[in-house]
Amino acid sequence: MDKDLVIGIDVGGTTTKCGVVDARGTVLAQTVVTSLSEDVNDFIATVAEGLGRIIEEAGAKGRIRGIGVGAPNGNYYTGEIKNAVNLTWCKTGTVPFAKLLSKKMGGIPVSLTNDANAAAVGEMTYGAARGMKDFIMITLGTGVGSGIVIDGKVVYGHDGFAGELGHTCAVRDNGRQCNCGKRGCLETYCSATGVARTAREWLEMSDEPSSLRSLDTITSKDVFVAAQEGDAIAKRIFEYTGKILGRSLSDFVAFSAPEAIVLFGGLARAKEFLLEPLEKSMNENMLPLWRGKVDIVFSTLKESDAAILGASALAWEL
Amino acid sequence: MDKDLVIGIDVGGTTTKCGVVDARGTVLAQTVVTSLSEDVNDFIATVAEGLGRIIEEAGAKGRIRGIGVGAPNGNYYTGEIKNAVNLTWCKTGTVPFAKLLSKKMGGIPVSLTNDANAAAVGEMTYGAARGMKDFIMITLGTGVGSGIVIDGKVVYGHDGFAGELGHTCAVRDNGRQCNCGKRGCLETYCSATGVARTAREWLEMSDEPSSLRSLDTITSKDVFVAAQEGDAIAKRIFEYTGKILGRSLSDFVAFSAPEAIVLFGGLARAKEFLLEPLEKSMNENMLPLWRGKVDIVFSTLKESDAAILGASALAWEL
């Protein structure tokens, strides 16, 4: 039988999603395993066991062409994961993840990159960026990730770590402290945690009534729900977030002149509140030649499948 | 005889430099013609006449493989120049420059791009970036231009206008007004005119003695000479310029993870005053993974030849 299927694996801090995918982007079988091993070999064993199950379930034995993995701090060139603070088995040091997994899976080739790059390949292969050769993927989750596609190829850079747009500077003076050690990073304002942080700061700064005040801890989802219910502060928080994101996007456009920017992730669900201020600020801050010409597109992939599809798309290139 | 030579043309606002170049980057013959025609056809005729002379002089008849042109607002995809405010014959509207020149030159193929992209190709082919596949060229002249090379190829983007890093935002609040209509553009701080502007602003803001006060008009060269003579304000101006440039470069690194940034242009001559503050601020503002790993390189091309070589290098790709 032809090797007509691939596997996509999305490695997260707590759980890892695995799926068998066909050429049309259908997830034939999927499973979720824990990421919380102390040792990488235990984790590889857990993943292999999960893959064995879904390969069986999908009738995919002997048909797997390759495995694509999206993981934090994953390096496409080396297949390694390095200093990934959110992964219990790779907090410090370097793990040759692609090599270990390939060996465990009887030599099936494994391609690895960071999660945002995988998402970009996924959008290009199956999603909103199908047919596009130049676009920038921005993932608005716990952090802000990015995958840059130029002339149909993901940009990996000299060292395999290109596309860290979440750590470009959004606010130069007195910017927020970022986990990376720098100040003012885009991620401290325009991620889910950034939105929650804005909410906490703003609620402290005024006495304006808000339904958010009744909550013990505030998440970006709470802010979204409050905005939908008409809460004025919550709506202004998204306006502010959109404004900051838009002006950063304008600088990204000056770099690679993409035809579109694709937004993905939890925060992208707040499209109704984010899109207008975002487009306004992006267009105001761009050179006239690009105004009104760069589309803001929201991911069209089913959220539950997207991570697997993104990673699996890498495997077709193997 | 083989077609073993190319022509490089650097179109500037006042003059246009043309040269016949061999594969090793030797300029065999060159000439400078005026750019100040009112009509593009007159300008093409002037250029063609100049080319005729240097082709004759270099014994290059029948040996020209192609012509490369670097011009403001030049579009690689279309071969057009568009709304180039500094060109008398193309202030508004679009000129199909590559097509017109090729026709006038009996069908010799013509490739065209903007001047900074041409400079990047020149550095990659003959200069400081030889052997590099991922670098960013920054030209510090009257304005700030940029040419981005990823995986050995210049980034043109969706529309042919990628790499306008001089118009990314360096100062978010109360930034300087730029000719492009925006505020805070990198170019308003880190070009030759930006340096002169800083000098004027700073001299007005204090009574500190400076040799610059005796001048009617101040150029970046005056500031450079004053700094060399130990003038304290002049030295601080370069420190400030380096600091602003360095933090912008750190964001560019987050985009494409280049192995080096190549600096070129009049202001790059002030290396002795710029380099240290620039490297310091770039490294402070980068993610830890890149600190100390991205080289700042200064162009090694002879300045009188560089513009011609850059443009000519394009022609080898024809």
Side-chain angles (χ1 to χ4, degrees):
Chain A
M1 209 179 296
D2 263 8
K3 292 203 189 306
D4 59 346
L5 302 173
V6 291
I7 283 172
I9 301 179
D10 177 62
V11 178
T14 323
T15 60
T16 291
K17 295 174 190 136
C18 312
V20 176
V21 180
D22 71 13
R24 301 170 68 180
T26 312
V27 180
L28 303 177
Q30 58 180 299
T31 185
V32 178
V33 301
T34 176
S35 302
L36 298 170
S37 307
E38 284 304 312
D39 182 85
V40 65
N41 290 306
D42 295 342
F43 178 63
I44 293 277
T46 305
V47 169
E49 192 271 330
L51 294 185
R53 260 188 291 121
I54 57 175
I55 288 172
E56 179 80 29
E57 187 185 329
K61 216 172 164 201
R63 293 169 62 190
I64 303 297
R65 179 194 292 226
I67 300 173
V69 181
N73 291 25
N75 188 311
Y76 179 74
Y77 294 140
T78 64
E80 295 167 347
I81 301 174
K82 195 172 172 181
N83 300 340
V85 289
N86 296 326
L87 300 178
T88 47
W89 39 271
C90 191
K91 278 189 189 305
T92 57
T94 303
V95 164
F97 192 85
K99 204 171 136 193
L100 291 175
L101 183 61
S102 178
K103 196 173 164 202
K104 188 77 176 180
M105 294 301 293
I108 297 177
V110 175
S111 187
L112 176 146
T113 189
N114 78 40
D115 28 7
N117 287 340
V121 179
E123 291 297 334
M124 189 164 46
T125 314
Y126 307 115
R130 228 190 297 198
M132 289 188 196
K133 298 190 79 177
D134 296 276
F135 69 96
I136 298 176
M137 174 96 195
I138 303 281
T139 60
L140 304 167
T142 315
V144 172
S146 63
I148 300 155
V149 173
I150 291 177
D151 206 17
K153 290 188 210 73
V154 173
V155 174
Y156 295 110
H158 178 57
D159 56 9
F161 291 114
E164 284 289 354
L165 300 183
H167 296 282
T168 56
C169 189
V171 175
R172 292 259 181 234
D173 301 308
N174 293 314
R176 289 178 184 168
Q177 183 66 48
C178 184
N179 288 334
C180 76
K182 303 199 303 155
R183 295 184 73 97
C185 290
L186 181 61
E187 160 163 317
T188 64
Y189 293 87
C190 299
S191 60
T193 41
V195 165
R197 201 162 163 179
T198 305
R200 285 195 302 272
E201 278 183 13
W202 288 18
L203 289 171
E204 248 176 54
M205 270 159 40
S206 86
D207 289 326
E208 191 179 337
S210 165
S211 62
L212 294 168
R213 293 194 187 277
S214 63
L215 302 169
D216 285 340
T217 53
I218 299 173
T219 66
S220 63
K221 200 181 163 191
D222 297 326
V223 183
F224 179 46
V225 171
Q228 285 183 311
E229 288 165 355
D231 189 273
I233 291 189
K235 287 206 266 187
R236 285 209 307 280
I237 289 169
F238 282 112
E239 265 174 48
Y240 175 76
T241 308
K243 185 184 152 189
I244 301 255
L245 182 58
R247 61 189 204 185
S248 284
L249 294 183
S250 74
D251 284 346
F252 306 159
V253 168
F255 202 99
S256 66
E259 69 177 293
I261 290 173
V262 183
L263 300 180
F264 175 77
L267 207 58
R269 262 174 265 162
K271 176 177 173 180
E272 62 190 289
F273 302 109
L274 271 179
L275 182 58
E276 200 185 304
L278 190 165
E279 282 192 321
K280 183 164 177 281
S281 113
M282 183 176 88
N283 281 302
E284 277 171 4
N285 288 284
M286 278 196 305
L287 283 181
L289 80 100
W290 287 309
R291 276 179 206 153
K293 291 187 186 155
V294 180
D295 293 332
I296 301 288
V297 176
F298 287 75
S299 169
T300 53
L301 295 178
K302 221 170 79 186
E303 203 147 343
S304 58
D305 291 351
I308 289 171
L309 285 178
S312 78
L314 270 182
W316 292 115
E317 297 177 0
L318 278 163
Chain B
M1 208 179 295
D2 262 7
K3 292 204 188 304
D4 58 347
L5 302 173
V6 291
I7 282 172
I9 301 179
D10 177 63
V11 179
T14 324
T15 60
T16 291
K17 294 174 190 138
C18 313
V20 176
V21 180
D22 70 13
R24 301 170 68 181
T26 311
V27 180
L28 303 178
Q30 58 180 299
T31 187
V32 177
V33 301
T34 177
S35 302
L36 299 170
S37 307
E38 284 306 310
D39 183 84
V40 64
N41 291 304
D42 295 342
F43 178 62
I44 293 277
T46 306
V47 169
E49 192 272 328
L51 294 184
R53 262 188 289 119
I54 56 175
I55 288 172
E56 179 79 28
E57 187 186 328
K61 216 171 163 200
R63 293 169 61 190
I64 303 298
R65 179 193 293 226
I67 299 173
V69 181
N73 291 26
N75 188 310
Y76 180 75
Y77 294 139
T78 63
E80 295 168 346
I81 301 175
K82 195 172 172 180
N83 300 340
V85 288
N86 296 323
L87 300 177
T88 47
W89 39 271
C90 192
K91 278 189 190 305
T92 56
T94 302
V95 164
F97 193 85
K99 203 171 136 195
L100 291 175
L101 183 62
S102 177
K103 196 173 164 204
K104 188 78 176 178
M105 295 301 294
I108 298 176
V110 175
S111 186
L112 177 146
T113 189
N114 79 39
D115 26 8
N117 287 341
V121 179
E123 291 296 335
M124 188 164 49
T125 313
Y126 307 116
R130 228 189 298 199
M132 288 187 195
K133 299 190 79 179
D134 295 276
F135 69 96
I136 298 176
M137 174 95 194
I138 304 281
T139 61
L140 304 168
T142 313
V144 171
S146 64
I148 300 156
V149 173
I150 291 177
D151 205 17
K153 290 188 210 74
V154 173
V155 174
Y156 295 109
H158 177 57
D159 57 8
F161 291 115
E164 285 289 354
L165 301 183
H167 297 282
T168 56
C169 189
V171 175
R172 292 260 181 233
D173 300 308
N174 292 313
R176 290 178 183 168
Q177 183 65 48
C178 184
N179 289 333
C180 77
K182 303 198 303 155
R183 295 184 74 98
C185 291
L186 181 61
E187 161 163 316
T188 64
Y189 293 87
C190 298
S191 61
T193 40
V195 165
R197 199 162 164 178
T198 305
R200 285 195 302 274
E201 278 183 12
W202 288 19
L203 290 170
E204 247 176 54
M205 271 160 39
S206 85
D207 289 326
E208 191 180 337
S210 165
S211 62
L212 294 169
R213 292 194 187 278
S214 63
L215 302 169
D216 285 340
T217 53
I218 298 173
T219 66
S220 63
K221 199 180 165 192
D222 297 326
V223 183
F224 179 47
V225 170
Q228 284 182 311
E229 288 165 353
D231 190 272
I233 291 189
K235 287 206 267 186
R236 286 209 307 279
I237 289 169
F238 282 113
E239 265 174 46
Y240 175 75
T241 308
K243 185 185 151 189
I244 302 257
L245 182 56
R247 62 189 203 185
S248 284
L249 295 183
S250 73
D251 283 346
F252 305 159
V253 168
F255 201 100
S256 66
E259 68 177 294
I261 290 172
V262 183
L263 300 181
F264 175 78
L267 207 59
R269 264 174 263 161
K271 176 177 173 180
E272 62 190 290
F273 303 109
L274 271 179
L275 182 58
E276 200 185 303
L278 190 164
E279 282 193 320
K280 183 165 178 279
S281 112
M282 183 176 89
N283 281 302
E284 277 172 4
N285 287 285
M286 278 194 307
L287 283 181
L289 80 100
W290 287 309
R291 277 180 205 153
K293 291 188 186 153
V294 181
D295 293 332
I296 300 289
V297 175
F298 287 74
S299 168
T300 53
L301 295 178
K302 222 168 78 185
E303 202 147 342
S304 58
D305 292 351
I308 290 172
L309 285 178
S312 78
L314 271 183
W316 292 114
E317 297 176 359
L318 277 163

